[in-house]
């Protein structure tokens, strides 16, 4: 596949199923030092037009948010002023009725600063993550953790 010179790659986000999307967004925003997206301006506009019913919204952090969706974005990446939607590195949490039942087919790797893995693991535990196991192989060492809903991720 060839790329066109001067064009950015396709925009994408990682979507993660959740039973509590706002709690997951809060955890991952703190874990990654990201920002929880503020969609309140768009939501208020849509509510004002009668385009969406109020039942599709909740209050989160003192502002209107989507009931079933919450997203986090890298604080340095661009975003749409009107909608609050990030245009770069994003995680979107969507409410699903079922709990996690199996191993993730995709997971995030979090890279700690040199020599600070244990400190980072402790910080993530304080945020609500749990250690599943420590891995030591010829190719490296890392800690496998689970976020508050049981989604696995690794700390290198």
């Amino acid at each position: 596949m060839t790329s066109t010179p001067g064009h950015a790659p396709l925009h994408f986000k990682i979507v993660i199923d959740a039973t509590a999307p706002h709690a997951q967004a809060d955890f991952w925003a703190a874990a990654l030092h990201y920002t929880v997206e503020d969609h309140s301006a768009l939501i208020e506009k849509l509510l004002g037009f009668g385009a969406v019913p109020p039942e599709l919204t909740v209050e989160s952090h003192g502002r209107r948010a989507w009931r079933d969706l919450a997203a986090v974005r890298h604080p340095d990446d661009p975003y749409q002023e009107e909608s609050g939607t990030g245009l770069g590195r994003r995680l979107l949490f969507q409410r699903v009725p079922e709990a996690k039942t199996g191993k993730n087919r995709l997971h995030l790797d979090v890279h700690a600063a040199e020599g600070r893995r244990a400190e980072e693991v402790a910080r993530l535990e304080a945020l609500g993550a749990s250690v599943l196991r420590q891995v030591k192989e010829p190719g490296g060492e890392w800690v496998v953790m689970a976020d508050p809903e049981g989604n696995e991720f690794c700390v290198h």
Side-chain angles (χ1 to χ4, degrees), residues 94-115:
Q94 67 179 3
R95 184 182 312 280
V96 296
E98 67 278 352
K100 182 180 175 298
T101 58
K103 185 180 182 316
N104 297 10
R105 294 288 306 255
L106 171 77
H107 70 268
L108 300 180
D109 279 356
V110 176
H111 293 267
E114 184 72 32

mmCIF file of all heavy atoms in Angstrom, residues 94-115:
data_model
loop_
_atom_site.group_PDB
_atom_site.id
_atom_site.type_symbol
_atom_site.label_atom_id
_atom_site.label_comp_id
_atom_site.label_asym_id
_atom_site.label_seq_id
_atom_site.Cartn_x
_atom_site.Cartn_y
_atom_site.Cartn_z
ATOM 1 N N GLN A 94 -18.026 2.993 25.042
ATOM 2 C CA GLN A 94 -19.451 2.905 24.719
ATOM 3 C C GLN A 94 -20.121 1.888 25.633
ATOM 4 O O GLN A 94 -19.579 0.817 25.883
ATOM 5 C CB GLN A 94 -19.668 2.536 23.254
ATOM 6 C CG GLN A 94 -19.216 1.150 22.884
ATOM 7 C CD GLN A 94 -19.486 0.825 21.420
ATOM 8 O OE1 GLN A 94 -19.958 1.648 20.660
ATOM 9 N NE2 GLN A 94 -19.188 -0.406 21.035
ATOM 10 N N ARG A 95 -21.299 2.266 26.122
ATOM 11 C CA ARG A 95 -22.034 1.386 27.028
ATOM 12 C C ARG A 95 -22.556 0.170 26.269
ATOM 13 O O ARG A 95 -23.105 0.297 25.177
ATOM 14 C CB ARG A 95 -23.212 2.121 27.659
ATOM 15 C CG ARG A 95 -23.963 1.282 28.708
ATOM 16 C CD ARG A 95 -25.155 2.028 29.289
ATOM 17 N NE ARG A 95 -24.844 3.382 29.710
ATOM 18 C CZ ARG A 95 -24.253 3.720 30.854
ATOM 19 N NH1 ARG A 95 -23.890 2.770 31.698
ATOM 20 N NH2 ARG A 95 -24.031 4.983 31.141
ATOM 21 N N VAL A 96 -22.356 -0.987 26.860
ATOM 22 C CA VAL A 96 -22.919 -2.238 26.357
ATOM 23 C C VAL A 96 -23.593 -2.925 27.551
ATOM 24 O O VAL A 96 -23.192 -2.718 28.695
ATOM 25 C CB VAL A 96 -21.859 -3.168 25.711
ATOM 26 C CG1 VAL A 96 -21.261 -2.528 24.465
ATOM 27 C CG2 VAL A 96 -20.772 -3.526 26.694
ATOM 28 N N PRO A 97 -24.606 -3.743 27.294
ATOM 29 C CA PRO A 97 -25.335 -4.361 28.411
ATOM 30 C C PRO A 97 -24.585 -5.502 29.097
ATOM 31 O O PRO A 97 -24.818 -5.777 30.266
ATOM 32 C CB PRO A 97 -26.614 -4.871 27.754
ATOM 33 C CG PRO A 97 -26.273 -5.052 26.316
ATOM 34 C CD PRO A 97 -25.229 -4.015 26.003
ATOM 35 N N GLU A 98 -23.674 -6.139 28.386
ATOM 36 C CA GLU A 98 -23.004 -7.308 28.957
ATOM 37 C C GLU A 98 -21.637 -6.940 29.537
ATOM 38 O O GLU A 98 -20.973 -6.037 29.062
ATOM 39 C CB GLU A 98 -22.841 -8.416 27.906
ATOM 40 C CG GLU A 98 -21.900 -8.080 26.769
ATOM 41 C CD GLU A 98 -22.515 -7.241 25.651
ATOM 42 O OE1 GLU A 98 -23.726 -7.015 25.651
ATOM 43 O OE2 GLU A 98 -21.751 -6.791 24.776
ATOM 44 N N ALA A 99 -21.252 -7.671 30.564
ATOM 45 C CA ALA A 99 -19.929 -7.488 31.163
ATOM 46 C C ALA A 99 -18.887 -8.197 30.300
ATOM 47 O O ALA A 99 -19.218 -9.043 29.474
ATOM 48 C CB ALA A 99 -19.914 -8.067 32.576
ATOM 49 N N LYS A 100 -17.632 -7.849 30.497
ATOM 50 C CA LYS A 100 -16.528 -8.508 29.800
ATOM 51 C C LYS A 100 -16.516 -9.988 30.178
ATOM 52 O O LYS A 100 -16.666 -10.328 31.348
ATOM 53 C CB LYS A 100 -15.217 -7.844 30.193
ATOM 54 C CG LYS A 100 -14.009 -8.415 29.509
ATOM 55 C CD LYS A 100 -12.764 -7.685 29.963
ATOM 56 C CE LYS A 100 -11.530 -8.307 29.406
ATOM 57 N NZ LYS A 100 -11.311 -9.677 29.818
ATOM 58 N N THR A 101 -16.349 -10.857 29.182
ATOM 59 C CA THR A 101 -16.422 -12.290 29.460
ATOM 60 C C THR A 101 -15.169 -13.071 29.081
ATOM 61 O O THR A 101 -15.010 -14.204 29.513
ATOM 62 C CB THR A 101 -17.611 -12.933 28.713
ATOM 63 O OG1 THR A 101 -17.451 -12.679 27.318
ATOM 64 C CG2 THR A 101 -18.925 -12.372 29.201
ATOM 65 N N GLY A 102 -14.288 -12.510 28.284
ATOM 66 C CA GLY A 102 -13.105 -13.248 27.846
ATOM 67 C C GLY A 102 -11.889 -12.360 27.772
ATOM 68 O O GLY A 102 -11.922 -11.184 28.117
ATOM 69 N N LYS A 103 -10.808 -12.939 27.290
ATOM 70 C CA LYS A 103 -9.563 -12.193 27.145
ATOM 71 C C LYS A 103 -9.686 -11.180 26.019
ATOM 72 O O LYS A 103 -10.297 -11.443 24.995
ATOM 73 C CB LYS A 103 -8.415 -13.164 26.842
ATOM 74 C CG LYS A 103 -7.055 -12.482 26.807
ATOM 75 C CD LYS A 103 -5.952 -13.476 26.509
ATOM 76 C CE LYS A 103 -4.583 -12.865 26.514
ATOM 77 N NZ LYS A 103 -4.431 -11.599 25.839
ATOM 78 N N ASN A 104 -9.089 -10.009 26.225
ATOM 79 C CA ASN A 104 -9.058 -8.994 25.172
ATOM 80 C C ASN A 104 -8.344 -9.538 23.938
ATOM 81 O O ASN A 104 -7.338 -10.232 24.070
ATOM 82 C CB ASN A 104 -8.249 -7.764 25.602
ATOM 83 C CG ASN A 104 -8.805 -7.029 26.781
ATOM 84 O OD1 ASN A 104 -9.704 -7.474 27.455
ATOM 85 N ND2 ASN A 104 -8.240 -5.871 27.022
ATOM 86 N N ARG A 105 -8.818 -9.192 22.756
ATOM 87 C CA ARG A 105 -8.090 -9.487 21.523
ATOM 88 C C ARG A 105 -7.171 -8.325 21.168
ATOM 89 O O ARG A 105 -6.293 -8.448 20.324
ATOM 90 C CB ARG A 105 -9.076 -9.735 20.368
ATOM 91 C CG ARG A 105 -9.929 -10.969 20.504
ATOM 92 C CD ARG A 105 -9.151 -12.255 20.307
ATOM 93 N NE ARG A 105 -8.412 -12.316 19.091
ATOM 94 C CZ ARG A 105 -8.737 -13.019 18.024
ATOM 95 N NH1 ARG A 105 -9.813 -13.752 18.023
ATOM 96 N NH2 ARG A 105 -7.979 -13.014 16.962
ATOM 97 N N LEU A 106 -7.366 -7.195 21.796
ATOM 98 C CA LEU A 106 -6.575 -5.992 21.581
ATOM 99 C C LEU A 106 -6.353 -5.388 22.959
ATOM 100 O O LEU A 106 -7.259 -5.405 23.794
ATOM 101 C CB LEU A 106 -7.363 -5.007 20.701
ATOM 102 C CG LEU A 106 -6.807 -3.608 20.531
ATOM 103 C CD1 LEU A 106 -5.643 -3.629 19.554
ATOM 104 C CD2 LEU A 106 -7.891 -2.670 20.027
ATOM 105 N N HIS A 107 -5.149 -4.898 23.226
ATOM 106 C CA HIS A 107 -4.915 -4.247 24.510
ATOM 107 C C HIS A 107 -3.960 -3.074 24.332
ATOM 108 O O HIS A 107 -3.274 -2.962 23.328
ATOM 109 C CB HIS A 107 -4.384 -5.237 25.557
ATOM 110 C CG HIS A 107 -2.986 -5.708 25.288
ATOM 111 N ND1 HIS A 107 -2.706 -6.830 24.572
ATOM 112 C CD2 HIS A 107 -1.786 -5.190 25.654
ATOM 113 C CE1 HIS A 107 -1.397 -6.996 24.494
ATOM 114 N NE2 HIS A 107 -0.813 -6.007 25.139
ATOM 115 N N LEU A 108 -3.940 -2.203 25.312
ATOM 116 C CA LEU A 108 -3.038 -1.058 25.310
ATOM 117 C C LEU A 108 -1.764 -1.416 26.059
ATOM 118 O O LEU A 108 -1.806 -2.149 27.046
ATOM 119 C CB LEU A 108 -3.697 0.141 25.986
ATOM 120 C CG LEU A 108 -4.996 0.658 25.373
ATOM 121 C CD1 LEU A 108 -5.506 1.844 26.181
ATOM 122 C CD2 LEU A 108 -4.792 1.046 23.923
ATOM 123 N N ASP A 109 -0.655 -0.893 25.599
ATOM 124 C CA ASP A 109 0.613 -0.956 26.318
ATOM 125 C C ASP A 109 0.903 0.447 26.828
ATOM 126 O O ASP A 109 0.877 1.405 26.058
ATOM 127 C CB ASP A 109 1.761 -1.387 25.398
ATOM 128 C CG ASP A 109 1.828 -2.888 25.183
ATOM 129 O OD1 ASP A 109 1.033 -3.627 25.795
ATOM 130 O OD2 ASP A 109 2.677 -3.321 24.397
ATOM 131 N N VAL A 110 1.161 0.559 28.103
ATOM 132 C CA VAL A 110 1.519 1.824 28.725
ATOM 133 C C VAL A 110 3.008 1.744 29.035
ATOM 134 O O VAL A 110 3.461 0.790 29.671
ATOM 135 C CB VAL A 110 0.707 2.043 30.023
ATOM 136 C CG1 VAL A 110 1.136 3.315 30.725
ATOM 137 C CG2 VAL A 110 -0.786 2.067 29.722
ATOM 138 N N HIS A 111 3.762 2.714 28.580
ATOM 139 C CA HIS A 111 5.210 2.703 28.776
ATOM 140 C C HIS A 111 5.589 3.711 29.857
ATOM 141 O O HIS A 111 5.398 4.909 29.690
ATOM 142 C CB HIS A 111 5.938 3.000 27.465
ATOM 143 C CG HIS A 111 5.759 1.915 26.460
ATOM 144 N ND1 HIS A 111 6.640 0.875 26.333
ATOM 145 C CD2 HIS A 111 4.767 1.676 25.574
ATOM 146 C CE1 HIS A 111 6.218 0.048 25.389
ATOM 147 N NE2 HIS A 111 5.077 0.512 24.922
ATOM 148 N N ALA A 112 6.129 3.204 30.945
ATOM 149 C CA ALA A 112 6.583 4.048 32.045
ATOM 150 C C ALA A 112 7.959 4.617 31.705
ATOM 151 O O ALA A 112 8.683 4.073 30.860
ATOM 152 C CB ALA A 112 6.659 3.222 33.330
ATOM 153 N N ALA A 113 8.312 5.690 32.378
ATOM 154 C CA ALA A 113 9.654 6.250 32.211
ATOM 155 C C ALA A 113 10.676 5.224 32.692
ATOM 156 O O ALA A 113 10.378 4.363 33.530
ATOM 157 C CB ALA A 113 9.779 7.547 33.006
ATOM 158 N N GLU A 114 11.873 5.317 32.174
ATOM 159 C CA GLU A 114 12.960 4.392 32.525
ATOM 160 C C GLU A 114 13.086 4.248 34.042
ATOM 161 O O GLU A 114 13.182 5.241 34.761
ATOM 162 C CB GLU A 114 14.271 4.911 31.930
ATOM 163 C CG GLU A 114 15.453 3.992 32.153
ATOM 164 C CD GLU A 114 15.392 2.729 31.313
ATOM 165 O OE1 GLU A 114 14.849 2.776 30.190
ATOM 166 O OE2 GLU A 114 15.875 1.688 31.796
ATOM 167 N N GLY A 115 13.040 3.003 34.513
ATOM 168 C CA GLY A 115 13.217 2.718 35.927
ATOM 169 C C GLY A 115 12.028 3.055 36.810
ATOM 170 O O GLY A 115 12.136 3.024 38.036
#
